[in-house]
Amino acid sequence: MKRLLLGSLCLMLSCVALAAGPSEVRKQAQAGMLVTGLIEVTPEGKVKSFALDQQSKLPAPVVELLGENIPTWEFKPVVDDGKPVAAKAKMNLRIVAKRVDDQHSSISIEGAQFGENTNQSGETITRKTMEQPKYPPLEIASRVSGTVYLLLRVGRNGQVEDAAAEQVNLGVYASERDMDRFRNDLADAALKAARQWTFNTPTVGKHINDDYWVARAPVAFNIILRGASPPHDEYGKWQSYIPGPRELVPWLDKSRLMSGSPDAAPSDGVYQVGQGLQLITPLAGA
């Protein structure tokens, strides 16, 4: 089953229509949910088992969708000392709901990211110092929330050699001109902070002697109303947003395959690119 049709999500997808014409919002608005868990694969790269975090909090259609698709996935075999071995890794899955008509929405798996083997440590870069960016004044005044998905190139000294905003998703709808301004302001603020970040570099593994490492780092900008729960406490809840375009990164070495999806990662983490399990079949199964 590649996707499911639902009727209950139309109100969620319509909530951002309050600031503009609903016909325009229907073209752009979607609701997303980040599901995390663990996956175990055989030496041949087949899925042996998987477990979803806090499954009781997830909507039944989401659990059904993942249950139909995850067992069909295949991964590039993990090799250790020249032999394929079983592996277990963390997984982050982006589930997206889009409007189909006035009564129905569809849900599908739009992105996935698989972390390092949970039996290993020290093979990836980890955060050392990461000051939070300053919230831009215009976006505070306009009550604009959003998430900037950064791509970082980290040198052997643990400092950021280059950074780019790969995608910016907004939590509000406005004119195209205003949304471009909001995305640029949030991206600039995130990049200014990121260029001062430092990281611990790998101490073991096949990438220990690399000249540099590439990582994704989502940065969330959220205005929390008094009495409201922070977004990171809303696991299993749909969050409506306007997805931004995915930008090309000119300094990225194309020989380093860009695995995963920019927005298939929890906010305020660091996720090294090219590390961990590599999916070789479609997310939606056969």
Side-chain angles (χ1 to χ4, degrees):
M1 181 179 295
K2 293 186 177 181
R3 61 180 66 223
L4 296 177
L5 288 179
L6 300 174
S8 60
L9 284 171
C10 288
L11 180 60
M12 169 66 72
L13 292 172
S14 297
C15 67
V16 290
L18 297 177
S23 62
E24 289 300 317
V25 173
R26 288 174 184 173
K27 297 177 183 178
Q28 301 185 53
Q30 58 189 40
M33 179 185 299
L34 194 66
V35 177
T36 61
L38 292 174
I39 190 167
E40 187 173 3
V41 301
T42 67
E44 297 75 27
K46 305 283 187 178
V47 175
K48 179 180 180 181
S49 65
F50 70 93
L52 305 177
D53 293 338
Q54 303 180 70
Q55 182 169 321
S56 62
K57 290 187 176 182
L58 300 176
V62 171
V63 175
E64 180 183 350
L65 178 72
L66 296 175
E68 290 278 352
N69 285 282
I70 293 178
T72 70
W73 293 347
E74 294 184 23
F75 295 83
K76 182 178 179 180
V78 176
V79 178
D80 187 16
D81 289 333
K83 297 180 180 180
V85 296
K88 183 185 293 184
K90 300 174 183 178
M91 63 178 179
N92 302 311
L93 308 174
R94 169 66 65 177
I95 313 301
V96 170
K98 298 178 181 178
R99 181 187 290 274
V100 175
D101 54 38
D102 288 340
Q103 283 77 41
H104 299 88
S105 299
S106 69
I107 63 171
S108 58
I109 310 169
E110 295 292 325
Q113 189 164 293
F114 303 93
E116 62 181 313
N117 188 333
T118 55
N119 295 325
Q120 303 289 332
S121 62
E123 290 193 0
T124 63
I125 62 173
T126 57
R127 67 174 70 196
K128 189 174 183 180
T129 61
M130 291 182 66
E131 290 287 336
Q132 289 297 309
K134 295 181 179 180
Y135 219 121
L138 174 63
E139 282 61 41
I140 291 179
S142 303
R143 309 196 70 79
V144 172
S145 60
T147 302
V148 181
Y149 296 91
L150 297 179
L151 199 60
L152 310 175
R153 183 169 64 186
V154 178
R156 294 191 58 80
N157 59 2
Q159 297 180 347
V160 175
E161 295 180 341
D162 217 330
E166 194 177 11
Q167 185 170 327
V168 182
N169 294 344
L170 295 177
V172 298
Y173 179 85
S175 68
E176 291 291 345
R177 179 180 177 182
D178 285 343
M179 287 196 297
D180 285 344
R181 170 72 183 274
F182 296 153
R183 290 191 181 102
N184 289 335
D185 286 352
L186 294 181
D188 288 346
L191 287 168
K192 183 177 181 180
R195 292 188 177 100
Q196 305 304 315
W197 293 347
T198 59
F199 296 88
N200 300 303
T201 58
T203 56
V204 297
K206 61 183 179 180
H207 294 291
I208 186 174
N209 293 318
D210 286 0
D211 293 332
Y212 63 90
W213 299 269
V214 177
R216 285 194 176 106
V219 179
F221 291 84
N222 292 298
I223 296 176
I224 302 173
L225 299 177
R226 182 173 296 178
S229 300
H232 54 73
D233 289 340
E234 296 295 318
Y235 185 81
K237 302 285 178 122
W238 293 104
Q239 301 290 329
S240 58
Y241 63 99
I242 307 296
R246 185 171 180 178
E247 304 291 343
L248 295 177
V249 179
W251 51 260
L252 181 66
D253 182 354
K254 298 301 186 295
S255 66
R256 299 189 181 215
L257 180 64
M258 286 304 301
S259 60
S261 174
D263 56 359
S267 296
D268 303 319
V270 179
Y271 308 91
Q272 186 171 316
V273 171
Q275 191 78 356
L277 297 179
Q278 298 181 35
L279 186 67
I280 59 176
T281 53
L283 286 170

